[in-house]
Amino acid sequence: MRAVSVESFWERRTPIRSLRPWFFLVLSLLVVDQLTKIATIDLLSLGSGIEITPFFNFVHVRNPGAAFSFLADASGWQRWFFSGLALVVSAWLGFMIWQSPDDKLFCVAASLMMSGALGNLIDRVVHGEVIDFLDFHWAGWHWPAFNVADSAITVGAVLFVWVEILRYRKAKANSLDHEHPPQP
């Protein structure tokens, strides 16, 4: 994780054009996520599904909780909790992109996570719950249904971990170079 001082925050002048690719990625994935959810609502009644392949169904389910229906049975407070969390996380990710627009791999990861958080936020605000429609299964075992936003969050999180592993390795290699400088 990178530390940002208050001075560097106020002195930073990131040109808007350097942020465009990242926010275009966020907006593009957000549009795809919402269009797929609109199609799901239009094509399937709640609780119904269509078998596409022996391991994949197109379904229409709702999730008032978080990943894997965590807190789905809570009394309703989770809608606003997860909505607030999505706003805070999206603002933080936007700030991190603004701080490092040239760190391409990091910005892709942050953009993916931001688009997913905002996609599910829209569902929570508009519908009170998240619309899921991708149902993968095998031999009677079903993975919990998910959507494009969930996929973006997952891929972004994995990529984020990868970025941090690469940073750690680079920092470790640099520290070893300083401890044992080459001998003439």
Side-chain angles (χ1 to χ4, degrees), residues 65-79:
F68 307 108
S69 296
F70 176 66
L71 294 176
D73 294 331
S75 63
W77 62 266
Q78 73 277 21
R79 173 185 183 185

Side-chain angles (χ1 to χ4, degrees), residues 72-151:
D73 294 331
S75 63
W77 62 266
Q78 73 277 21
R79 173 185 183 185
W80 302 112
F81 173 76
F82 290 126
S83 295
L85 183 62
L87 283 173
V88 169
V89 168
S90 295
W92 176 75
L93 290 168
F95 174 75
M96 296 305 289
I97 291 169
W98 179 70
Q99 286 290 305
S100 305
D102 297 325
D103 189 347
K104 290 178 177 40
L105 206 52
F106 172 79
C107 287
V108 168
S111 296
L112 288 169
M113 292 186 290
M114 181 189 288
S115 69
L118 293 173
N120 285 339
L121 170 65
I122 290 169
D123 286 6
R124 288 183 200 291
V125 170
V126 173
H127 304 287
E129 52 200 356
V130 174
I131 299 165
D132 291 325
F133 54 90
L134 301 170
D135 174 34
F136 287 90
H137 56 90
W138 187 256
W141 295 90
H142 283 259
W143 186 258
F146 59 99
N147 58 46
V148 172
D150 298 334
S151 300

Side-chain angles (χ1 to χ4, degrees), residues 29-51:
L29 289 170
L30 193 55
V31 167
V32 169
D33 175 64
Q34 291 302 301
L35 288 176
T36 56
K37 290 171 180 174
I38 290 168
T40 299
I41 293 168
D42 288 347
L43 295 172
L44 297 173
S45 60
L46 184 59
S48 67
I50 301 169
E51 182 178 342

